[in-house]
Amino acid sequence: MSSTHIPILILGATGYIGGSVLSRLLAHSDAKSFEITALIRSVEKAECLRGFGVKTVVGSTDDVEKLETLASHAHIVFSVVSTDDLPAIQAADKQGYLKSYIILHSLVYGMASGPFVDLGIQNPFSMQIPGLIMAAFDRGHVGMFGKGLLIWPSVHIDDAANLYLILFDAVLANPEKVGHGREGYFFVENGEHTWYDLSKAIGGPFVKAGLSKDSEPTTLTDEELIKYTGSVEIGHKMGSNVRCHANCARGLGWKPTKTNKDMFDNLSLEVSALLNIVQAKQQKAST
Ligand SMILES: NC(=O)c1ccc[n+]([C@@H]2O[C@H](COP(=O)([O-])OP(=O)(O)OC[C@H]3O[C@@H](n4cnc5c(N)ncnc54)[C@H](OP(=O)(O)O)[C@@H]3O)[C@@H](O)[C@H]2O)c1
């Protein structure tokens, strides 16, 4: 590594959010001065990423020793892997000189795009909306959390990924100016929706595609919450009230461009993309 290069470690580079961050890092005007290393679980994906000039280490965040070594060589770590992986977070933090900047996502929507998606090495799908769509395929009718009255904030994947780069640029330009630690929490949202409105909007493309006769969502039972979210508790959490304002992000100059209208308008694309995957799997299983 040349002394003029900034060593950067990225965790979760093949993920929906992480891949969108990595593609932006590689397109950054100063990209030539970055030395990016990605910890990747798949040998094939690691090899593919090397073609983009990304150094790769094959392994998992479960290997805390490996992670500590990688983190100790990096000046900047993008951790876009599990938000609940405490040992992995501590492996960045152990030596006590870490400045942490925590990006707190709301519901991230839209299909990710870019070179890694095109090559099939990045997950293009988010969590909540695809989860509701897949559940609707299974039960033949769109479901919703509770009566659908509670509210969540949302943000488009491109706007969410752009914030990482805006924060990165701000920290590189003047770290003293950007709050970190307790002051370094950045909520991400550009609008709110009720779960009813979201489920109802998913119901529309379902009826159009002939997958359901009725677009009116029905409440997911406890058994269905276990089946589709893993537990009743997780299901209740997902259908809860979550409200925030992205004041700190906007204070950095972040200007999200996509709104809830984009989220609702593009649901049919996501329904057909997921339907294609389900049908291809069914066809493979039957041959
Ligand atoms: N998407 C949302 O709407 C949303 C909203 C709020 C919070 N979040 C949080 O943001 C984080 C990233 O979300 P995402 O949607 O980008 O998830 P994702 O598409 O599933 O990506 C997860 C990434 O982490 C990698 N990974 C998982 N476990 C790993 C391990 N043990 N060692 C090394 N790499 C590992 C995956 O690698 P593989 O390719 O090997 O699987 C993948 O690159 C998650 O913690 C999620 O809970 C997401």
Side-chain angles (χ1 to χ4, degrees):
M1 181 193 72
S2 135
S3 58
T4 55
H5 280 69
I6 303 170
I8 296 171
L9 173 65
I10 180 161
L11 311 174
T14 52
Y16 173 65
I17 300 173
S20 304
V21 172
L22 179 59
S23 59
R24 280 161 175 76
L25 269 177
L26 293 172
H28 192 286
S29 54
D30 294 332
K32 283 203 173 96
S33 67
F34 307 154
E35 186 183 78
I36 304 174
T37 302
L39 179 70
I40 302 289
R41 288 196 289 194
S42 141
V43 174
E44 293 77 26
K45 289 181 181 182
E47 194 176 323
C48 201
L49 277 180
R50 281 200 289 278
F52 288 83
V54 176
K55 285 186 159 191
T56 56
V57 174
V58 176
S60 160
T61 54
D62 298 340
D63 186 343
V64 175
E65 214 170 292
K66 186 180 268 182
L67 193 53
E68 274 176 8
T69 307
L70 287 171
S72 69
H73 289 119
H75 287 184
I76 293 180
V77 179
F78 286 89
S79 177
V80 206
V81 60
S82 172
T83 36
D84 302 322
D85 191 347
L86 191 59
I89 293 164
Q90 285 169 337
D93 185 40
K94 217 174 182 177
Q95 296 180 37
Y97 55 75
L98 170 99
K99 282 187 176 157
S100 65
Y101 307 89
I102 314 267
I103 292 183
L104 295 142
H105 288 291
S106 45
L107 178 151
V108 189
Y109 63 84
M111 285 167 62
S113 58
F116 307 137
V117 173
D118 296 344
L119 286 168
I121 57 172
Q122 178 188 349
N123 168 26
F125 296 107
S126 186
M127 294 177 171
Q128 291 94 336
I129 290 177
L132 280 171
I133 294 172
M134 295 302 277
F137 287 144
D138 189 49
R139 67 203 290 274
H141 196 106
V142 69
M144 69 178 163
F145 296 111
K147 292 179 182 167
L149 299 176
L150 300 179
I151 289 172
W152 259 54
S154 61
V155 66
H156 190 273
I157 178 62
D158 290 341
D159 287 323
N162 287 343
L163 175 60
Y164 285 79
L165 272 290
I166 286 169
L167 180 57
F168 171 74
D169 282 339
V171 171
L172 282 188
N174 191 345
E176 301 313 317
K177 266 192 151 177
V178 187
H180 60 89
R182 288 173 69 90
E183 308 298 321
Y185 284 84
F186 298 85
F187 287 108
V188 196
E189 56 71 32
N190 195 30
E192 295 182 317
H193 62 272
T194 64
W195 285 106
Y196 172 80
D197 285 343
L198 179 57
S199 291
K200 173 86 180 164
I202 293 172
F206 256 76
V207 173
K208 253 193 192 160
L211 297 165
S212 174
K213 287 200 174 95
D214 188 357
S215 66
E216 199 60 30
T218 53
T219 298
L220 293 163
T221 63
D222 281 358
E223 289 73 30
E224 287 178 318
L225 290 180
I226 295 167
K227 187 173 183 189
Y228 303 127
T229 72
S231 74
V232 174
E233 290 72 28
I234 294 175
H236 285 172
K237 257 191 222 165
M238 284 180 69
S240 61
N241 241 348
V242 172
R243 309 194 78 175
C244 62
H245 287 294
N247 296 339
C248 295
R250 289 190 172 87
L252 290 175
W254 180 64
K255 292 192 179 90
T257 58
K258 303 270 175 38
T259 64
N260 277 349
K261 185 173 179 323
D262 297 284
M263 176 168 79
F264 293 130
D265 287 353
N266 288 304
L267 285 170
S268 54
L269 286 178
E270 215 152 333
V271 169
S272 28
L274 286 164
L275 182 61
N276 285 341
I277 292 173
V278 169
Q279 287 176 336
K281 272 189 191 158
Q282 284 169 348
Q283 206 172 352
K284 205 173 165 194
S286 68
T287 51

